[in-house]
């Protein structure tokens, strides 16, 4: 740049250059996406054209095969009838020829007999000859009357008419001439008002094109595609996620389930398919699968708590040096565990924001303000004591324990020395008469001031705090001896409605 660009001019020039670079970067990404889309479309076109050509050849082959089979069947019928008639006529012709030959022999014999016309010729012979002559006349009469010519009918037993086998395929020919491709089904329309999000599932409902505009080809089934998108509902999928498919759907709705949907915005589209042709996809609809997704804030964890993903474990550092009960008693055996009590161990200071002392606390990394939230906790097999709840961040000092201030609420479970379950707030504890749960659901309705703890396995409401939250809340956990694991990114389960309805009824009754 020119050295004269100083001060405000230089700043404006640099700002303009940054805008140009930003615009070029965006345009470059847009062009890359466009080229990628065109390339994918071209590849898809080539594959789809080969597929439809193959399908067409298969259909024509089936049609030709059907015509050949039908033609062979009709030819066989005609040949069979022809052979039957030929056999009958041949037999009748043979019988007629034999009758004609017999008739000619009789005529010759009769003519010879009729040539004896004078009486003298009969008298010349003796009586013996006369008797022979009489017998001969009788034989002539019997042969003539019993000859095949007298008994044979002179009418053919079958006719040459084969018109009953005349085929008229004019209608079929017209149909074949009008033969064309199947009409492609039009795109359905997703009915966003009837789509339901519940229990980490999405039920998508749509209307066929025939219901929308009265048009559209025949539909045999539907195909739905979905993928996880960014929260801002941008067209480009988060992480370039591929479309996942659900095929052969016969109804006009389907339920999508899977951890890949939660928590996120899910882009959904659907198309109709007939025998071989698939219509265009409907307009993509973005369905919010809102859920509370958070993790542990490792920077707040007590020095003796180890955070790994969604798990927190207690790993003491120099336990014997901190536990007054264990000093000088290393050689003694005891039926009790050598693990120190959470109220007797002093932690070292490690980091300005970390909890220390006897707190053994770690916070979540996402605040809650407005709306409803739900997550779950499961203790590990070797746990001894833990607390789970919510707190105002500012209300917890580095050495504070959950439930001992006005700004923290928790459920405390312990099986150290004896089993106990209690709800704690403002340094007060309420004992709960219920077995220690193995899966705890935590529900927080910030706006209504509800904080509920549920035994998820037994679907039992353990305790519900009713208050009025005035500051952002943060999930809070205390772990001593053993560990816990949390499950987040869950929507408020449907069974919570039963607990909330019961609480409202009891509240109204008390009022």
């Amino acid at each position: 740049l020119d050295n004269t660009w100083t001060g405000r001019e230089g700043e404006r020039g640099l700002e303009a250059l940054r805008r140009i670079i930003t615009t070029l970067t965006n345009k470059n990404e847009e062009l890359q996406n466009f080229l990628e889309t065109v390339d994918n479309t071209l590849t898809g076109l080539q594959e789809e054209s080969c597929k439809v050509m193959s399908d067409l050849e298969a259909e024509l082959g089936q049609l030709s095969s059907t015509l050949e089979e039908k033609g062979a069947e009709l030819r066989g019928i005609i040949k069979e009838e022809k052979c039957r008639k030929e056999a009958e006529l041949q037999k009748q012709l043979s019988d007629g020829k034999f009758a004609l030959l017999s008739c000619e022999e009789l005529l010759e014999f009769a003519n010879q007999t009729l040539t004896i016309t004078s009486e003298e010729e009969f008298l010349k012979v003796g009586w013996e000859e006369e008797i022979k002559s009489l017998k001969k006349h009788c034989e002539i009469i019997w042969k003539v009357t019993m000859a095949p010519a007298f008994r044979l009918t002179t009418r053919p037993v079958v006719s040459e008419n084969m018109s009953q086998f005349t085929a008229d395929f004019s209608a079929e020919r017209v149909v074949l001439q009008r033969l064309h491709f199947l009409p492609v089904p039009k795109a359905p329309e997703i009915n966003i008002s009837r789509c339901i999000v519940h229990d980490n599932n999405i039920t998508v409902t749509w209307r066929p094109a025939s219901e929308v505009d009265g048009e559209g080809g025949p539909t045999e089934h539907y195909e739905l595609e979905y993928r996880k998108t960014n929260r801002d509902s941008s067209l480009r999928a988060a992480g370039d996620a591929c479309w996942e498919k659900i095929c052969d759907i016969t109804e006009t709705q389907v339920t999508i389930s899977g951890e890949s949907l939660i928590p996120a915005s899910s882009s959904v589209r659907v198309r109709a398919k007939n025998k071989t042709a698939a219509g265009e996809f409907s307009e993509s609809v973005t369905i919010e699968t809102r859920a509370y997704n958070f993790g542990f804030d490792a920077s707040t964890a007590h020095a003796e708590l180890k955070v790994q993903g969604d798990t927190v474990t207690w790993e003491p550092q120099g336990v014997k040096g901190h536990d007054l009960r264990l000093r000088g008693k290393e050689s003694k055996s005891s039926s009790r565990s050598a693990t120190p009590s959470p109220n007797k161990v002093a932690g070292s200071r490690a980091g300005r924001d970390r909890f220390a002392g006897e707190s053994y606390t770690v916070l979540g990394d996402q605040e809650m303000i407005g709306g409803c939230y739900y997550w779950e906790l499961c203790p590990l097999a070797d746990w001894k004591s833990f607390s789970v709840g919510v707190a105002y961040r500012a209300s917890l000092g580095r050495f504070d324990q959950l439930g001992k201030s006005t700004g923290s609420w928790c459920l405390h479970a312990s099986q150290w020395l004896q089993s106990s379950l209690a709800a704690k707030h403002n340094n007060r504890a309420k004992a709960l008469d219920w077995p220690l749960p193995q899966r705890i659901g935590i529900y927080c309705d910030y706006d209504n001031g509800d904080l509920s703890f549920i035994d998820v396995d037994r679907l039992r409401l353990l305790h519900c705090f009713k208050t009025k939250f005035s500051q952002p809340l943060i999930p809070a956990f205390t772990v001593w001896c053993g560990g816990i694991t949390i499950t987040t990114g869950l929507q408020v389960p449907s069974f919570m409605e039963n607990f909330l309805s019961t609480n409202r009824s009891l509240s109204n009754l008390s009022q």
Side-chain angles (χ1 to χ4, degrees), residues 186-196 202-212 219-226 246-256 268-273 280-283 285 287:
K186 289 191 175 181
E189 180 182 302
I190 295 179
N191 190 349
I192 190 66
S193 63
R194 296 188 62 185
C195 294
I196 303 172
I202 302 175
T203 299
V204 184
T205 304
W206 59 87
R207 293 186 296 166
S210 57
E211 292 185 8
V212 178
T219 299
E220 291 191 358
H221 55 270
Y222 298 92
E223 180 180 285
L224 181 137
E225 291 187 347
Y226 66 95
I246 302 178
C247 302
D248 299 327
I249 306 169
T250 57
E251 304 294 333
T252 55
Q253 71 174 28
V254 70
T255 298
I256 310 171
V268 181
R269 63 187 187 183
V270 65
R271 64 177 176 178
K273 301 183 73 174
E280 295 293 333
F281 278 104
S282 64
E283 291 291 333
V285 172
I287 300 177

Side-chain angles (χ1 to χ4, degrees), residues 64-98:
S64 176
S65 176
T66 302
L67 286 175
E68 287 296 330
E69 291 177 1
K70 194 64 180 177
E73 178 186 348
L74 296 179
R75 293 187 194 98
I77 294 174
I78 295 173
K79 289 179 179 179
E80 182 181 348
E81 183 68 10
K82 172 177 171 288
C83 291
R84 185 185 68 81
K85 287 190 173 183
E86 281 183 345
E88 293 184 4
L89 289 175
Q90 288 289 355
K91 182 177 180 303
Q92 195 174 20
L93 185 61
S94 177
D95 293 344
K97 289 180 177 180
F98 177 73

Side-chain angles (χ1 to χ4, degrees), residues 335-359:
S335 59
R336 296 181 179 180
S337 170
T339 306
S341 164
N343 295 323
K344 297 295 183 181
V345 180
S348 61
R349 180 170 180 172
R352 186 178 63 182
D353 296 328
R354 287 184 182 275
F355 286 92
E358 300 177 0
S359 63

Side-chain angles (χ1 to χ4, degrees), residues 12 34 38 110 199 202 306 345 363 380 390 393-394 410 440:
R12 285 197 297 269
F34 172 71
V38 172
D199 290 342
I202 302 175
K306 182 179 181 181
V345 180
L363 301 179
L380 300 182
V390 298
R393 185 186 292 271
C410 75
I440 300 173

Side-chain angles (χ1 to χ4, degrees), residues 126-200:
W127 288 103
E128 186 175 340
E129 293 294 333
E130 185 177 357
I131 293 172
K132 289 181 179 180
S133 179
L134 181 60
K135 286 183 178 181
K136 193 172 183 179
H137 278 78
C138 290
E139 184 181 352
I140 292 171
I141 295 172
W142 181 81
K143 284 184 178 181
V144 170
T145 55
M146 298 301 294
F150 279 85
R151 293 180 289 108
L152 183 68
T153 177
T154 57
R155 183 177 181 180
V157 293
V158 295
S159 68
E160 79 284 1
N161 187 5
M162 297 287 285
S163 59
Q164 69 268 30
F165 298 109
T166 301
D168 181 11
F169 295 111
S170 57
E172 287 75 10
R173 189 159 46 251
V174 171
V175 171
L176 287 175
Q177 290 171 348
R178 290 187 307 201
L179 186 64
H180 201 61
F181 298 108
L182 285 172
V184 178
K186 289 191 175 181
E189 180 182 302
I190 295 179
N191 190 349
I192 190 66
S193 63
R194 296 188 62 185
C195 294
I196 303 172
V197 179
H198 65 99
D199 290 342
N200 300 326

